[in-house]
Amino acid sequence: MKNDRVDAASQTAYGSAEYKRSQKAYTIECAFEYFISLLVTDAFLAKLLRSMGADDALCGIISSFISLAMLFQLCALLVVGRIRNVKKTAVTVHTAAQLLFTSLYLIPFLPFPDEYKRPVFIACMLAAYLGNYLVTSVIFKWGMSFVDPARRARYASVKEMVSLASGVIVSLSIGAATDAFDAAGNVRGGFAFTAVCMAIFSLCDLICLLLIKNEPVKEKTERQPLLPALKAVFSNRAFIRVLLIHCLFNIATYATIGFMGTYKQDELAYTIGQIQIINTVGVAGRFLASRPFGRFSDRFTYYKGIMLALVILASAFALNMFTSPSARWLVIAFTLLQSVSCAGTSQNLLNITYAYVPEKYFVHATVIKSSVSGVVGFCATLVSGRLLSAVQANGNTFLGMHVYSQQLLSAISLAVTLITLAYMCIASRKMKTQ
């Protein structure tokens, strides 16, 4: 009877006006954060770096900083127990990070030679990711605390759908504006326009965070000693298996994805506007798949949701092995399948921590998983960058065969994805949820 009263009280809280407002505000905040991430990745980032004289390999490596930057989440372990006001900390640090991302589009205007602009760009980007990832797990736990645990996957899928649908409008609009500035011979004008848009998105992101109910961390949760918490996390065999899965996934992803922005623009000869249309096709697929993936994962576990997504991702890499200037349309199919797979991996790889780790260690486990897998993914990018440069220096020839670097990298990603699937099939028999 006591548990029934507690459950009833919890359901009443999740349905309250204050909780619903927080859910909606967090959903919209994620959308504005997504807009900014769109403008510092893929073709947008490649174009910005190219304006400062960066080559393909450097563009790919810098594009994968998002993976290396997850290492910054380790800093969160040092501060999470000291946070007294979640809202104040999250708002301050996150907003500063978003403004740093905005500043990237102002670097081309600095009165320095390109060889000095690139280090400044890298420093600002790393600082932005530092601030972002310092509080990302805190914001995630804060925002999701207002959602009924039995409906988290479905809420996450709706949240993702809102970001994707609105992101299509943003990417297409800014992509079209960028092409228009390019056609007028005013590349820097396009950068200035994008910077203004990002500043507006940052302001809206701030307003949404301010609308979320403050949820002070309880004293017993705040004061989790670091070493015992780490020991508890690393002694959890299910978590170690999840960590390995995430590492393998990042190797498969970052070995190829970071190098596709320049491939689309150079070898495949697509404009920024055309690339955004292709990306829109992918987003549409991800949008349509998000809700079904959420329902599937709530019903059959996050683990099986990830496995299904990896099957789709494997087919994407298999197709991309044949993408070339003579069959450049295949990149559309690759983008669609890879985006659909993200509907099953992006949220499930976050939510799966809830299934295998006690809630009091959630932040510690999330930070460790993201940091370790992020470093592994970035190392995969470095190796891929060296391989790409070697193949290009050899006239796009590998073992006597004419092949583009991204085709070879896709073959490697396919192999790692299949290895990940095989491991998950074997490990699934030993995985026990909380």
Side-chain angles (χ1 to χ4, degrees), residues 152-220:
R152 277 178 179 152
R154 274 166 282 190
Y155 169 80
S157 67
V158 172
K159 177 167 65 70
E160 183 174 78
M161 290 168 71
V162 171
S163 295
L164 294 174
S166 51
V168 166
I169 299 173
V170 170
S171 61
L172 285 177
S173 300
I174 296 182
T178 300
D179 283 348
F181 278 108
D182 288 350
N186 186 12
V187 175
R188 288 191 172 185
F191 293 155
F193 173 79
T194 305
V196 171
C197 291
M198 291 178 72
I200 294 173
F201 298 152
S202 298
L203 176 60
C204 294
D205 186 298
L206 169 62
I207 293 173
C208 289
L209 285 176
L210 292 174
L211 289 174
I212 301 176
K213 171 181 168 62
N214 194 11
E215 194 72 10
V217 181
K218 296 179 181 178
E219 184 68 18
K220 62 178 182 180

Side-chain angles (χ1 to χ4, degrees), residues 341-354:
S341 74
C342 287
T345 56
S346 62
Q347 295 300 326
N348 283 331
L349 283 171
L350 283 172
N351 286 327
I352 197 173
T353 309
Y354 281 113

Side-chain angles (χ1 to χ4, degrees), residues 153-363:
R154 274 166 282 190
Y155 169 80
S157 67
V158 172
K159 177 167 65 70
E160 183 174 78
M161 290 168 71
V162 171
S163 295
L164 294 174
S166 51
V168 166
I169 299 173
V170 170
S171 61
L172 285 177
S173 300
I174 296 182
T178 300
D179 283 348
F181 278 108
D182 288 350
N186 186 12
V187 175
R188 288 191 172 185
F191 293 155
F193 173 79
T194 305
V196 171
C197 291
M198 291 178 72
I200 294 173
F201 298 152
S202 298
L203 176 60
C204 294
D205 186 298
L206 169 62
I207 293 173
C208 289
L209 285 176
L210 292 174
L211 289 174
I212 301 176
K213 171 181 168 62
N214 194 11
E215 194 72 10
V217 181
K218 296 179 181 178
E219 184 68 18
K220 62 178 182 180
T221 303
E222 284 183 16
R223 291 293 185 178
Q224 280 294 338
L226 180 58
L227 291 180
L230 293 179
K231 182 178 179 179
V233 170
F234 280 110
S235 63
N236 186 328
R237 292 185 178 182
F239 170 76
I240 296 301
R241 294 186 183 103
V242 169
L243 174 60
L244 178 57
I245 291 166
H246 205 158
C247 287
L248 289 170
F249 170 76
N250 274 10
I251 291 173
T253 303
Y254 287 99
T256 298
I257 300 300
F259 302 95
M260 290 302 296
T262 55
Y263 191 51
K264 294 172 188 174
Q265 292 183 66
D266 296 342
E267 286 83 357
L268 303 184
Y270 286 112
T271 67
I272 292 291
Q274 290 171 333
I275 292 172
Q276 297 318 306
I277 293 174
I278 293 172
N279 289 343
T280 298
V281 173
V283 168
R286 182 173 175 178
F287 179 90
L288 294 174
S290 288
R291 193 64 181 244
F293 256 116
R295 289 172 178 167
F296 179 90
S297 301
D298 274 337
R299 183 175 180 181
F300 297 105
T301 73
Y302 306 131
Y303 194 87
K304 291 183 178 178
I306 294 171
M307 291 184 69
L308 177 60
L310 289 180
V311 171
I312 299 171
L313 181 62
S315 62
F317 287 128
L319 272 180
N320 206 42
M321 289 169 57
F322 302 97
T323 301
S324 66
S326 60
R328 67 179 194 151
W329 60 271
L330 282 174
V331 80
I332 301 174
F334 165 75
T335 302
L336 174 60
L337 290 172
Q338 192 266 332
S339 296
V340 169
S341 74
C342 287
T345 56
S346 62
Q347 295 300 326
N348 283 331
L349 283 171
L350 283 172
N351 286 327
I352 197 173
T353 309
Y354 281 113
Y356 299 109
V357 177
E359 186 174 355
K360 63 181 178 179
Y361 300 130
F362 175 81
V363 173

Side-chain angles (χ1 to χ4, degrees), residues 36-56 58-66 101 104-105 107-108 121-122 125 129 174 178 191 194 198 257-259 261-262 265 272 275-276 279:
I36 293 175
S37 70
L38 285 175
L39 299 174
V40 292
T41 54
D42 197 48
F44 286 112
L45 179 60
K47 184 175 183 62
L48 185 57
L49 288 168
R50 281 293 180 78
S51 72
M52 292 179 280
D55 59 20
D56 286 4
L58 182 59
C59 287
I61 291 171
I62 294 178
S63 295
S64 298
F65 271 175
I66 187 173
F101 279 126
L104 297 178
Y105 276 88
I107 292 176
F121 184 95
I122 292 172
M125 194 170 193
Y129 277 125
I174 296 182
T178 300
F191 293 155
T194 305
M198 291 178 72
I257 300 300
F259 302 95
T262 55
Q265 292 183 66
I272 292 291
I275 292 172
Q276 297 318 306
N279 289 343

